[in-house]
Amino acid sequence: MKNIILPAALALGIAGAATAQNNFVLNASKLGAPVQSTMYGLFFEDINYAADGGLYAEMVKNRSFEFPQALMGWKTFGNVEVRTDGAPFEKNPHYVRLTSAMHPHKRTGLENEGFFGVSVLKGSNYKFSVYARNLGSNAKIRVELVNPAAMGEIHTMAFKEIEVNSKDWKKYTAELSPEENINKGLLRIFLVGDNGVDLEHISLFPAETWKNRENGLRKDLAQALADLKPGVFRFPGGCIVEGTDLNSRYQWKNSVGPVENRPINENRWHYTFPHRFYPDYYQSYGLGFFEFFQLSEDIGAEPLPVLSVGLACQFQNENADAHVAANRQALDPYIQDALDLIEFANGSTSTKWGKLRAEMGHEKPFNLKLIGIGNEQWDALYPERLKFFVEEIRKKYPNIKIVGSSGPDSEGKQFDYLWPEMKKLGADLVDEHFYRPESWFLAQGNRYDNYDRKGPKVFAGEYACHGAGKKWNHFNASLLEAAFMTNLERNADVVHMATYAPLFAHVEGWQWRPDMIWYDNTRSVKSVSYYVQQLYAKNKGTNTIQLTENGKPVAGNDGQNGLFASAVYDANDGSYIVKVANVSDSDQKVNIKFDGLKKKKVTDYSVTSLHTDKVLEDNTLDNPFNIIPKEEKGASVNGISTDLNIKAKTFYVFRFNVK
Ligand code: AHR
C-alpha cells in the first residue's frame, strides 16, 4: 500500500497537547463546483441477511421448497411428501402434499422456522398466504403462530382455518393477530380432517410494510434508508453481482415478474467465510429489480444497478479460465442482459421489457441514468470484456452513464492498471473500494485533491473504516470516515458519488462488519456511521467552497492538529456549511474568517455534533440512542469571523447564515 504518510502530529500522538489555535479562511467570493445530487448514497447487497431475513419482509424461509434440500427451514410431521408433478409455477416446481395421518389423534403438517425464528408482535397483524389445491374433496388446513417457549398452557398465539375448496391451484389468504409477542416462534400448518391438500409458496408478511405494499419491505428498515436522504442507490452488490461461478451470479431477469415464479439463487455469502457459515442462505429474489427501482424512486435516489461483466468472483476463482465468458460470443447474453435492463427501466410499454415493468405496476419509466458493469474485477480480463459492453450500450443508449471498476484495492497494482484502462474505454465513472484501517483514513485527507479533472469521475462505491484489531462498529471508525469525507466533499467536482458499505446486517446472521444498520427480527438500530452519512447527505449544499488553513486544505496534515474540514454553499437558503472533524484527543480552537462576503455578514449559526468519550462504543439494539447527533443553536456572530471551540474526538456540521 503506498501513499500512506501519517501526519506527524498524529504519529507522535497529540493526546494532551495544549489547545492550539487554528485559523481557517472560507473563500466566499467564488462558488466552486456543483455538488452532485448523487453525491451521498446507499450501497445495497444481500450480505448479512440484508434481503431475505432483512429488508424483504417475507417471514417464511424456503417458501417454495426450492432450496437444494427441499425441506430446509421446515419440519414435517405425519404424511408429508415433496412433489414436482403438476406444479403451478414452472420455475419453482416443488410443492408439498399433506395426506391424512390415518388416526383422529395424529397429525400431518409442517412448520417453518423463519429467519432466526418467526418473530411477531402483539397488536400487529400478519398476512398468511398459500397456493393450494385439494385432492378431489374439500379439505381444511389450520395455520398457527406458535411460541414454543411460552410457559402458559398454550403455545398457539394465533390461528385460522382455511377451507381448500378447489382441486385447482388457488391462492388462499388469512390474517393472523397474535395475542402475545413471540420472539423465536414458528409458523405451523396442519391438515384438519382426512382430506389431503397440496401446498406451494407458503408466505407470511407483516400486514404493515413500507408503503403497505404486497410483497413489501420491512417498514423500519426502508424508512431508515429514506431518512438518510440518499442521492444514489446501488444494487444488488457487491460480489453477489459476480457469483462464485457464473451460474450463481445475480441474474436480474430471474428477479422480475410474478414473485411466485422467481427461481431462487444460491447466496455466495452462505459459504464465503467458513468461520461464519450459513448453509440456509439463499436469495428468493422476492426483493428483485422491480422492487429496487421502486425503492430508489420512493427514497428519491438515482438507481444504480450493477451487472456481471461475464467474470465470476476473481477472489474465488484462482483459475480464472473456468469461470469467465470466454469470448465475444459467450458474452452475448451478458451484454443483452444489460441492454434489456435499460429497456426494463426506461423502455416504452410497447417494448418487451417495458411492458413487463408496466404489468408489474409501473407504467412510467424509472428514468435510469446509470449502469455499473462488473464489480471488483481485475487484470486484462476485465477491460477486454467491458469494452464490448461499452460499445453496445453507447450504440443503443448513448445517454446512459457507465460505471467501471478500479478493482478491489484503493491503490496498488490493479488500481494503477485499471484506472488508465477505464479512461481508455471512456467509462463515465470509476468505482473505488476501500475497507481500510485508521492509518489509511488519517492519511487520505488529500486523496482526490490531485486527481485528473478530465478523466472519468469517481464513485467511492464501497468504503468503511475497518479498525486495526477493532473491525466492528465503533465511534472512532465513524469519526475517521467523517474526516475522510471532507476530502470527498472538497473534491465534489471529481467525486460524484460515494456509498458506505455494507448497508445492512442481521445481528444473528452477519458475515461482514462494520455495517451501517443493524437489526434483529423486530428492532433496528442506526450506527454512528449511519449518522455520519446522514449528516453529509442532509448538508451537502449545492456548491463547493474553498476552505483553507495557511493556504492549504484542512486535511489532517502536519500542523493541522488532527483537524479535517470542508465547506459548501447552500443556494437553497444562502448559508455556508462547514464540516469539521477533530480526530485528535485535544480540544482545538478554530477561527473561521469569511473572505469575500462583500457587504454581507455572518449573522448566526446552528451546529450539529457527534461525540462520545467512549470511542470504542456504538449504538446497539438495546441502546439505540447511545451516540446520536446533537443539534444546537449556535451563537450570533454579526461579523465576518467567528471563534469556535472544537472538542476532541468530535464531528461538527456548522451552518452559517449570512445577511
Ligand atoms: O461489501 C462486502 C464486499 O466487499 C462486496 O461484496 C465486495 O464488492 C467487496 O469485496
Side-chain angles (χ1 to χ4, degrees):
M1 197 183 294
K2 60 182 189 188
N3 290 341
I4 296 193
I5 308 153
L6 260 189
L10 290 167
L12 296 172
I14 50 175
T19 306
Q21 178 65 46
N22 304 269
N23 297 316
F24 295 176
V25 177
L26 184 149
N27 182 359
S29 67
K30 192 165 164 233
L31 278 191
V35 179
Q36 301 295 312
S37 64
T38 50
M39 184 70 181
Y40 306 107
L42 299 168
F43 159 85
F44 180 92
E45 175 167 27
D46 190 1
I47 182 173
N48 306 322
Y49 288 80
D52 297 281
L55 180 61
Y56 184 47
E58 174 64 85
M59 297 163 73
V60 176
K61 182 163 70 193
N62 190 16
R63 63 187 171 189
S64 292
F65 309 101
E66 296 301 329
F67 284 17
Q69 287 74 27
L71 288 173
M72 193 179 252
W74 296 93
K75 252 189 217 157
T76 63
F77 43 91
N79 292 322
V80 178
E81 190 193 347
V82 178
R83 302 173 66 109
T84 52
D85 55 313
F89 307 114
E90 192 199 335
K91 293 184 190 159
N92 286 326
H94 295 84
Y95 64 91
V96 285
R97 174 161 292 179
L98 275 55
T99 50
S100 170
M102 305 301 283
H103 186 286
H105 285 199
K106 295 189 183 180
R107 288 165 182 260
T108 282
L110 68 171
E111 48 193 37
N112 190 268
E113 66 191 25
F115 296 92
F116 315 103
V118 171
S119 312
V120 293
L121 298 174
K122 182 182 172 183
S124 298
N125 300 325
Y126 297 85
K127 285 183 172 173
F128 171 85
S129 68
V130 62
Y131 286 81
R133 65 178 176 186
N134 67 38
L135 304 184
S137 311
N138 280 3
K140 204 183 262 179
I141 55 169
R142 178 174 156 115
V143 184
E144 297 184 341
L145 291 173
V146 178
N147 183 5
M151 289 302 286
E153 288 300 316
I154 29 178
H155 280 178
T156 308
M157 297 303 160
F159 74 91
K160 281 274 166 71
E161 291 195 342
I162 297 174
E163 176 109 5
V164 180
N165 56 14
S166 171
K167 64 179 181 18
D168 296 320
W169 287 107
K170 204 171 114 179
K171 185 174 182 176
Y172 297 85
T173 60
E175 193 145 300
L176 297 163
S177 311
E179 282 168 22
E180 284 180 20
N181 293 343
I182 308 179
N183 183 19
K184 290 208 174 284
L186 300 165
L187 173 72
R188 183 178 290 158
I189 301 155
F190 58 85
L191 200 58
V192 180
D194 283 333
N195 295 337
V197 289
D198 289 338
L199 305 178
E200 161 65 318
H201 197 88
I202 301 174
S203 170
L204 184 72
F205 273 86
E208 249 189 88
T209 56
W210 167 251
K211 299 204 177 276
N212 288 329
R213 294 202 179 106
E214 294 281 318
N215 191 49
L217 307 179
R218 229 178 99 166
K219 204 175 165 183
D220 57 333
L221 298 183
Q223 188 62 54
L225 302 187
D227 290 346
L228 193 136
K229 306 286 175 218
V232 66
F233 183 51
R234 168 181 168 194
F235 54 83
C239 295
I240 281 275
V241 167
E242 306 157 36
T244 301
D245 40 37
L246 288 175
N247 281 340
S248 56
R249 74 187 189 277
Y250 196 109
Q251 300 201 44
W252 77 265
K253 286 175 181 164
N254 287 339
S255 81
V256 294
V259 71
E260 298 83 354
N261 208 19
R262 299 182 193 172
I264 63 155
N265 193 22
E266 179 179 285
N267 188 317
R268 57 155 287 150
W269 294 108
H270 102 210
Y271 44 70
T272 301
F273 300 120
H275 53 281
R276 294 195 77 83
F277 183 57
Y278 292 90
D280 63 353
Y281 197 2
Y282 286 84
Q283 298 179 273
S284 71
Y285 281 153
L287 167 52
F289 265 50
F290 178 85
E291 291 78 17
F292 282 128
F293 280 121
Q294 195 174 42
L295 180 59
S296 309
E297 186 173 80
D298 291 345
I299 61 180
E302 293 293 346
L304 167 52
V306 183
L307 298 187
S308 163
V309 70
L311 288 174
C313 175
Q314 287 166 277
F315 284 113
Q316 286 179 311
N317 293 286
E318 276 122 50
N319 172 13
D321 295 350
H323 294 294
V324 299
N327 51 37
R328 174 67 185 81
Q329 202 186 357
L331 273 180
D332 267 351
Y334 297 83
I335 295 174
Q336 198 56 49
D337 271 1
L339 297 174
D340 290 344
L341 178 65
I342 301 171
E343 183 176 294
F344 178 73
N346 293 353
S348 85
T349 53
S350 62
T351 61
K352 174 176 171 192
W353 293 103
K355 181 164 172 271
L356 177 61
R357 181 194 69 239
E359 282 165 7
M360 291 184 74
H362 204 283
E363 204 176 316
K364 278 208 294 198
F366 282 115
N367 196 16
L368 176 69
K369 298 183 187 117
L370 301 157
I371 192 165
I373 305 291
N375 178 45
E376 288 181 343
Q377 321 299 164
W378 61 79
D379 287 344
L381 289 167
Y382 178 45
E384 278 165 15
R385 283 164 181 73
L386 180 61
K387 167 176 159 232
F388 298 119
F389 286 78
V390 173
E391 276 169 19
E392 298 301 325
I393 295 172
R394 295 272 187 250
K395 238 188 269 168
K396 200 158 178 201
Y397 299 107
N399 295 328
I400 293 284
K401 288 193 172 154
I402 299 174
V403 183
S405 167
S406 59
D409 300 317
S410 46
E411 51 271 307
K413 185 171 161 236
Q414 293 303 335
F415 185 89
D416 293 343
Y417 164 68
L418 284 171
W419 252 102
E421 289 297 316
M422 293 303 107
K423 282 184 195 173
K424 265 192 250 160
L425 289 178
D428 297 287
L429 292 113
V430 176
D431 184 9
E432 298 188 352
H433 293 182
F434 24 94
Y435 299 105
R436 292 289 185 255
E438 294 90 341
S439 54
W440 187 93
F441 276 82
L442 287 169
Q444 293 289 313
N446 297 99
R447 180 178 178 89
Y448 296 111
D449 293 356
N450 298 314
Y451 260 49
D452 178 4
R453 265 45 196 176
K454 296 198 191 92
K457 304 300 177 197
V458 173
F459 170 33
E462 289 185 34
Y463 69 94
C465 176
H466 282 193
K470 304 184 196 76
K471 199 168 121 16
W472 55 78
N473 286 87
H474 59 278
F475 176 83
N476 198 51
S478 309
L479 177 65
L480 296 192
E481 288 154 11
F484 170 77
M485 288 173 77
T486 56
N487 180 235
L488 302 179
E489 182 167 277
R490 184 165 60 248
N491 291 288
D493 59 327
V494 68
V495 181
H496 280 195
M497 310 193 292
T499 56
Y500 174 98
L503 178 56
F504 281 133
H506 194 294
V507 288
E508 293 180 65
W510 60 271
Q511 296 82 47
W512 184 292
R513 64 178 181 180
D515 304 288
M516 201 153 83
I517 300 168
W518 287 82
Y519 46 88
D520 61 15
N521 284 354
T522 54
R523 303 173 297 167
S524 52
V525 58
K526 296 161 177 168
S527 67
V528 180
S529 290
Y530 174 98
Y531 289 113
V532 167
Q533 295 294 322
Q534 188 186 45
L535 284 172
Y536 270 92
K538 281 184 162 177
N539 295 287
K540 67 173 177 288
T542 51
N543 294 81
T544 59
I545 285 286
Q546 193 186 58
L547 182 84
T548 51
E549 183 174 26
N550 298 324
K552 294 199 181 112
V554 187
N557 291 319
D558 270 359
Q560 294 188 322
N561 303 311
L563 295 176
F564 294 71
S566 58
V568 288
Y569 172 71
D570 191 346
N572 300 307
D573 62 2
S575 63
Y576 292 89
I577 304 167
V578 177
K579 304 186 180 78
V580 185
N582 180 2
V583 304
S584 81
D585 292 327
S586 311
D587 293 357
Q588 301 292 334
K589 284 185 185 155
V590 169
N591 175 275
I592 305 190
K593 183 166 164 254
F594 291 77
D595 261 3
L597 280 179
K598 299 191 179 141
K599 287 183 182 154
K600 290 187 177 167
K601 282 181 180 166
V602 180
T603 54
D604 61 329
Y605 65 88
S606 58
V607 56
T608 309
S609 59
L610 258 175
H611 170 79
T612 181
D613 293 329
K614 298 164 273 182
V615 295
L616 290 182
E617 288 192 7
D618 208 299
N619 301 317
T620 62
L621 287 171
D622 292 329
N623 192 5
F625 307 116
N626 187 27
I627 309 163
I628 58 170
K630 192 168 130 201
E631 286 178 34
E632 285 165 275
K633 278 237 162 289
S636 52
V637 177
N638 197 23
I640 57 159
S641 103
T642 183
D643 289 320
L644 305 166
N645 182 31
I646 301 295
K647 276 193 354 195
K649 296 282 181 201
T650 308
F651 174 53
Y652 293 90
V653 179
F654 295 96
R655 192 177 274 266
F656 293 97
N657 299 311
V658 168
K659 264 204 188 124

